[in-house]
Amino acid sequence: MANKRASSAPNPLRAAHDSRKRSKASELWFRKCNHGEALFRAYLAAQSVVPAAEAAAFWAALRRPLPITWWVHPRAPAEFARRLRASAHAAPAPWAAGAGVWQASLERRALGAGGEAAALGALLAEGVAAGALSRQEAVSMLPVLALRVAPGSRCLDVCASPGSKTQQLLAAVAGGASEARRVGMVVANDAHPQRVAALLDALGRHGRSASELARLVVTCHRGEALPAPARPFGKRRGGGAGFDRVLCDVPCSGDGTIRKDASVLPRWTPGVGNALHATQLAIAWRGLELLRVGGLLCYSTCSLNPIEDEAVVAALLGRAAGAVELEAWPADVLPALRRRAGLRSWRVADHADADDDDGDEEVALRWHASFD
């Protein structure tokens, strides 16, 4: 995985098939092997990831630009909040009532077009620098919201870079003024020094307060080998030693980022998700080992692939042998958010040559075991 610059997050799928490092002849062969949209469509259909009745709307949505979204810090100045409400192009997200999540009614490129749109862009930049808001994709906000972090909690962000979720955790842990005396902490970890640098850079750009930064510990370890604290947290009411909340937003194929990264879909192949499954499982398992009894762990990816999602969760539950239970999405968390239960069955596939024995030259998938 390679960053274009320190502040950008690497994409394993792009790095696995970087056309800039390939000759023209090998690129033509790469296309002939049927990586890409046809393969991805066939894979999702066979896995029943997208119901047939919703397929057309799903693929149409993947071609629409992502909306501009952000969350407002609980302690943002009242005057800044007033100016935000006065904008004609910004409003609270309808699916996140009461969560401080906002959405713009225009595309990103419009922010530099002048007039009220440019004024909103300037206001957002001002809010970021002052620590009053954080620009973040809507889907990226969900894991921390699902964790329901209380002020004073001890949290672990196992794969923290580029830092948007870490900032959410810090805001929740620091709490309001009445919670200033509560300890609380966030351990933000990442495996790669370059990604740790990106995390620190993001924290610096977003004007985090001294109160929040005093609760932050940044580490650099492989997630699956993250050491336990040298001095384990003491027992407290409601649970024993360990972190209260653990977030495992693991490295993934990134096929859920198609709307913002046009290079993902033409190069899609199931092999990347298959290769990452073991690492994802190891990271999540280590997160469980560091979680206190009664605590919550959120496992998340930027992938639609059940091999990276449901298959990892199922493996965790099987390995835990009853010591861990799967929590349903809390009814009181974002009740207007459209969601559905995960898959209960999935299949494993790899990529076959275009001239495979079945003679299918349009879609080249070789299916293997099924799980239920």
Side-chain angles (χ1 to χ4, degrees), residues 185-224:
M185 67 181 302
V186 175
V187 175
N189 176 76
D190 207 275
H192 303 286
Q194 191 174 15
R195 289 178 61 81
V196 171
L199 166 67
L200 295 173
D201 177 67
L203 291 168
R205 286 184 286 105
H206 283 79
R208 299 272 60 91
S209 69
S211 174
E212 291 181 11
L213 294 179
R215 293 167 166 83
L216 176 66
V217 177
V218 178
T219 62
C220 185
H221 291 281
R222 287 170 39 239
E224 60 270 37

Side-chain angles (χ1 to χ4, degrees), residues 42-57:
Y43 186 83
L44 293 189
Q47 300 280 27
S48 300
V49 172
V50 182
E54 299 180 14

Side-chain angles (χ1 to χ4, degrees), residues 38-44 46 268-270 349-353 356 358 360 363-367:
L39 202 65
F40 192 44
R41 283 177 177 267
Y43 186 83
L44 293 189
W268 188 88
T269 172
D350 64 16
H351 177 249
D353 292 337
D356 199 18
D358 61 7
D360 187 348
V363 177
L365 284 170
R366 182 186 292 110
W367 292 100

Side-chain angles (χ1 to χ4, degrees), residues 40 57 86 94-95 133 142 156 238 243 248 265 276 280 294 326 361 364:
F40 192 44
W95 54 268
L133 64 84
L142 299 181
L156 170 62
F243 288 96
C248 292
L265 185 57
L276 286 169
Q280 294 163 339
L326 184 64
E361 296 186 356

